[in-house]
Amino acid sequence: MKIFIDSANLDELEKAAQTGMIDGVTTNPSLVAKSGVSFEKLLMRICELVPGPISAEVTALDAPGMIEEGRKLSKLHSNIVVKVPLTDAGLKATRILSQDGIATNVTLCFSPIQAYLAAKCGATYVSPFVGRLDDIGVAGMQLIQDIRKVYQNYGFTTQILVASVRHPEHVLQSIMMGADVATIPYNVFTKLAQHPLTEKGLNQFMADWKAAGLTL
Ligand code: G3P
């Protein structure tokens, strides 16, 4: 499974990129607004930091507007993936942008039927928001399983990009279910390698080594 970072914070992205484990980045209008950097400048810097797919979301709400913005965004860098919302207009735009050979990420997906439509329109990625479903008492990860089944049934190649990830358990379940990508906030990414028994074991090894006065 590929790991993307869900962030528009350049400090976080730089630190994440340095681990060598990051395959791409997703942003959304809320994250970009928080970054305090102009959209184009931000995208160019992210493209320099991470040599992989970088999702940049359109803000027009009608299909012609989304197509125009999507074409403009895709010209900024060959790694830009145009993110469009899962609305009727967004699906229309996805179909046209896909026909133009532009990579797309259909976002704000909350049901298997929505995911089916995104794939039918040629989306490169679909982004089911698991955390926001959990928030309203619906099992978010079940959606991932359902989408996998739908895509397998019809041989769709649209990649399942698990979004709205809130904790390492979401990441584990994504791996177990065979999701193609999980986009992970930086604070969750930093928790993935942590285990209290690893820390405890290492402290013990170091204490024993020191007590015996050994050197390499
Ligand atoms: O980028 C889309 C998604 O990952 C947002 O997550 O935590 O705002 O629901 P969240």
Side-chain angles (χ1 to χ4, degrees):
M1 184 181 76
K2 283 172 261 175
I3 294 181
F4 289 4
I5 294 290
D6 193 31
S7 175
N9 179 311
L10 290 171
D11 291 336
E12 286 181 356
L13 290 170
E14 194 167 352
K15 281 187 264 175
Q18 280 165 2
T19 67
M21 283 191 280
I22 305 309
D23 303 300
V25 175
T26 54
T27 65
N28 64 39
S30 305
L31 293 172
V32 173
K34 260 198 277 175
S35 77
V37 184
S38 82
F39 195 21
E40 277 193 28
K41 257 196 201 157
L42 178 76
L43 290 173
M44 296 314 290
R45 182 70 189 121
I46 297 176
C47 287
E48 279 170 20
L49 284 174
V50 180
I54 311 297
S55 286
E57 191 158 340
V58 298
T59 49
L61 295 176
D62 61 312
M66 288 180 194
I67 294 163
E68 194 187 326
E69 285 182 19
R71 285 181 176 147
K72 196 173 152 195
L73 286 169
S74 78
K75 283 196 187 109
L76 291 177
H77 196 282
S78 56
N79 284 347
I80 295 284
V81 175
V82 177
K83 209 172 172 190
V84 298
L86 211 157
T87 58
D88 287 335
L91 290 170
K92 209 186 246 180
T94 300
R95 199 167 48 77
I96 305 285
L97 291 168
S98 300
Q99 280 167 0
D100 283 2
I102 293 172
T104 53
N105 174 0
V106 180
T107 188
L108 289 164
C109 172
F110 293 95
S111 81
I113 296 174
Q114 287 182 316
Y116 166 75
L117 294 176
K120 220 172 156 48
C121 291
T124 314
Y125 302 94
V126 67
S127 289
F129 277 32
V130 296
R132 292 193 193 183
L133 281 172
D134 290 347
D135 289 346
I136 58 159
V138 177
M141 291 309 296
Q142 181 60 46
L143 175 58
I144 305 305
Q145 219 157 25
D146 293 346
I147 297 173
R148 265 205 81 69
K149 175 88 177 101
V150 171
Y151 284 8
Q152 260 162 16
N153 285 350
Y154 297 100
F156 285 129
T157 54
T158 298
Q159 296 181 50
I160 304 171
L161 192 165
V162 181
S164 189
V165 164
R166 299 281 166 75
H167 43 70
E169 184 63 20
H170 277 149
V171 181
L172 171 62
Q173 289 179 28
S174 301
I175 297 165
M176 299 302 286
M177 290 176 185
D180 298 288
V181 189
T183 189
I184 308 173
Y186 183 68
N187 70 316
V188 176
F189 174 71
T190 57
K191 288 184 188 142
L192 296 182
Q194 291 172 15
H195 196 287
L197 291 179
T198 304
E199 203 185 323
K200 191 179 166 201
L202 184 59
N203 288 341
Q204 186 64 58
F205 288 158
M206 293 305 103
D208 292 346
W209 184 265
K210 208 173 157 193
L214 295 167
T215 50
L216 187 66

